[in-house]
Amino acid sequence: NASLLGILQHPDGTVLKQLQPPPRGPREQEFYNKVYDSDCCDSILLELREYLPKYFGVWSPPTAPNDTYLKLEDVTRKFNKPCIMDVKIGQKSYDPYASAEKIQQQVSKYPLMEEIGFLVLGMRVYHISSDSYETQNQHYGRSLTKETVKDGISKFFHNGYCLRKDAIAASIQKIEKILEWFEGQKQLNFYASSLLFVYEGSCQATTVRLSDVTLAEKRGVPKGLLSGGDILEYNNNIHVINSTENGKIEASVSKGLSKFYALHKKAYSKRHHSQLSLKVENLEKDNVWKSSTCITQEHLNGNVIPQLEKVFCHMPAEIKESANVEVRMIDFAHVFPSNTKDEGYIYGLKNLITVLQNILDN
């Protein structure tokens, strides 16, 4: 994601964004300083902080004291397989002080900006099947028209098996909060500023905990009862048995799954160790499980990963944890004081919500 955003990741959990040449860089620095001023008591700016990366001042490398970097929260840090999209918002990507040639240059880059109100600058989507990322650069976004923008954005929420409707719904909610903020303020106008979207691409974030089947493999537990009374056996397929009375699902797990666990091993060694079992939590109601388009009482042969993926993707809403999604405003080199609502930004947000809602509904 660093390349997508043009920033450096620092081991301390921040990112370093090099200050642009004047006037843009100093303007962005001034914006962050104003919003994050410790004496700030303006409720509008205090609320705005919720929608920005946290700001930790500026930093310069000892070897090059004249190079200034903004030190910002790494919004992607808490994710295992972050899927990232950067969307420029507004009807104009040039500010009120832009020269005629700057205006011409910006308009020619994406003539549809006025009409669509946003532009996809880049995306990086994790595909579970190949355990790899698919990346799109700014040429992808600029190729999108009114007719294709819906499909163009839905690509970001598709992991190769299914459309992550949970992540879309969560994104809409977050954009609506930002829209509310814009509807309530008349002191700042934003040009060429972006929204950064991040959601969890790995299935690790679902309520299905595969964590310690890996441990079972390492310890060489051949088969038999493990903690929680779940039966773990190795054979050539996966067989999901009816949910038992206590709401757990017993599964016999195959060698065919080891590929799948390999995707998780790294993540889990770093994180928590839960039960030694493949288990779906919170399945109090049998019918909840059956009502989803799921794999009760049947053998799954062939490629296990897509089958498991179907389970995750179609898990009923009442089981699924709310999607792990971040939507933050970034890029403030063209933020100006104002005494009117930012109608261009508001237009872009509303249109983006409409497009996302259309993806959900169809």
Side-chain angles (χ1 to χ4, degrees):
N1 54 312
S3 59
L4 172 66
L5 304 171
I7 50 183
L8 304 167
Q9 279 174 311
H10 193 288
D12 69 3
T14 61
V15 290
L16 297 170
K17 178 182 180 181
Q18 188 157 22
L19 222 56
Q20 295 167 278
R24 292 174 300 165
R27 204 187 287 131
E28 182 163 36
Q29 184 183 346
E30 192 187 326
F31 169 80
Y32 274 113
N33 285 338
K34 181 179 173 175
V35 174
Y36 284 94
D37 185 344
S38 54
D39 298 331
C40 173
C41 51
D42 178 338
S43 61
I44 284 171
L45 296 184
L46 291 173
E47 189 194 334
L48 179 59
R49 292 178 185 179
E50 294 175 38
Y51 312 122
L52 270 46
K54 289 190 187 68
Y55 172 61
F56 303 100
V58 292
W59 178 88
S60 295
T63 51
N66 297 329
D67 286 355
T68 308
Y69 292 81
L70 298 170
K71 206 169 186 332
L72 301 165
E73 170 191 8
D74 178 1
V75 180
T76 69
R77 183 174 171 88
K78 67 177 184 184
F79 295 87
N80 176 29
K81 298 288 184 191
C83 299
I84 304 163
M85 177 170 65
D86 183 340
V87 183
K88 190 190 280 192
I89 307 288
Q91 291 176 281
K92 297 178 169 69
S93 53
Y94 52 89
D95 67 49
Y97 305 94
S99 65
E101 63 188 328
K102 178 69 178 175
I103 292 174
Q104 179 50 45
Q105 180 219 358
Q106 284 299 319
V107 171
S108 64
K109 272 188 181 175
Y110 194 57
L112 291 167
M113 197 76 185
E114 193 84 35
E115 206 178 341
I116 294 177
F118 62 84
L119 166 63
V120 176
L121 292 178
M123 66 172 72
R124 185 166 174 263
V125 186
Y126 178 68
H127 282 191
I128 297 169
S129 46
S130 55
D131 187 24
S132 65
Y133 284 94
E134 182 184 351
T135 304
Q136 303 292 345
N137 64 17
Q138 55 189 340
H139 300 293
Y140 173 80
R142 284 194 220 141
S143 73
L144 299 177
T145 64
K146 263 200 321 187
E147 290 69 41
T148 61
V149 71
K150 182 183 147 194
D151 290 340
I153 286 208
S154 67
K155 195 180 185 75
F156 173 61
F157 294 99
H158 208 287
N159 62 13
Y161 291 119
C162 64
L163 187 64
R164 287 287 305 276
K165 291 196 167 193
D166 57 328
I168 300 172
S171 297
I172 292 172
Q173 286 184 326
K174 304 235 167 181
I175 302 168
E176 282 172 342
K177 291 286 292 173
I178 294 171
L179 176 58
E180 268 176 49
W181 181 86
F182 271 90
E183 294 281 18
Q185 70 90 21
K186 288 184 173 183
Q187 53 177 286
L188 293 169
N189 281 189
F190 294 73
Y191 302 90
S193 187
S194 286
L195 285 184
L196 182 72
F197 291 79
V198 191
Y199 73 87
E200 180 56 71
S202 78
C203 335
Q204 184 205 343
T206 67
T207 43
V208 177
R209 312 226 182 271
L210 288 161
S211 52
D212 288 282
V213 182
T214 38
L215 277 183
E217 283 184 330
K218 279 182 197 146
R219 291 178 192 160
V221 179
K223 66 172 181 180
L225 281 177
L226 299 176
S227 63
D230 286 27
I231 296 167
L232 190 69
E233 286 176 4
Y234 290 83
N235 52 28
N236 294 326
N237 48 36
I238 177 170
H239 179 208
V240 176
I241 304 156
N242 244 348
S243 37
T244 49
E245 273 133 292
N246 63 1
K248 292 172 184 168
I249 290 226
E250 300 170 354
S252 38
V253 177
S254 71
K255 297 188 187 93
L257 277 174
S258 55
K259 249 195 319 213
F260 188 71
Y261 301 138
L263 307 185
H264 297 270
K265 268 183 177 151
K266 288 193 205 85
Y268 286 117
S269 57
K270 290 197 295 252
R271 298 177 194 224
H272 45 261
H273 295 293
S274 57
Q275 317 85 323
L276 242 155
S277 57
L278 168 64
K279 193 186 284 187
V280 179
E281 313 278 1
N282 327 335
L283 292 179
E284 269 71 59
K285 315 188 207 75
D286 276 16
N287 63 330
V288 169
W289 189 243
K290 294 198 189 85
S291 69
S292 64
T293 52
C294 196
I295 50 169
T296 346
Q297 295 177 296
E298 63 173 279
H299 285 270
L300 301 179
N301 295 309
N303 190 346
V304 174
I305 299 176
Q307 298 292 353
L308 275 175
E309 200 45 40
K310 269 180 207 157
V311 178
F312 297 140
C313 292
H314 297 107
M315 200 174 282
E318 54 260 64
I319 311 175
K320 213 181 262 177
E321 290 167 1
S322 62
N324 198 0
V325 173
E326 286 286 354
V327 179
R328 303 287 184 97
M329 297 167 61
I330 57 168
D331 294 343
F332 306 112
H334 304 273
V335 179
F336 293 90
S338 163
N339 50 19
T340 61
K341 276 205 233 180
D342 191 340
E343 296 298 351
Y345 200 108
I346 288 171
Y347 175 91
L349 289 180
K350 285 182 172 172
N351 203 33
L352 182 53
I353 290 169
T354 303
V355 170
L356 290 170
Q357 195 61 55
N358 282 338
I359 297 170
L360 261 193
D361 295 342
N362 302 326

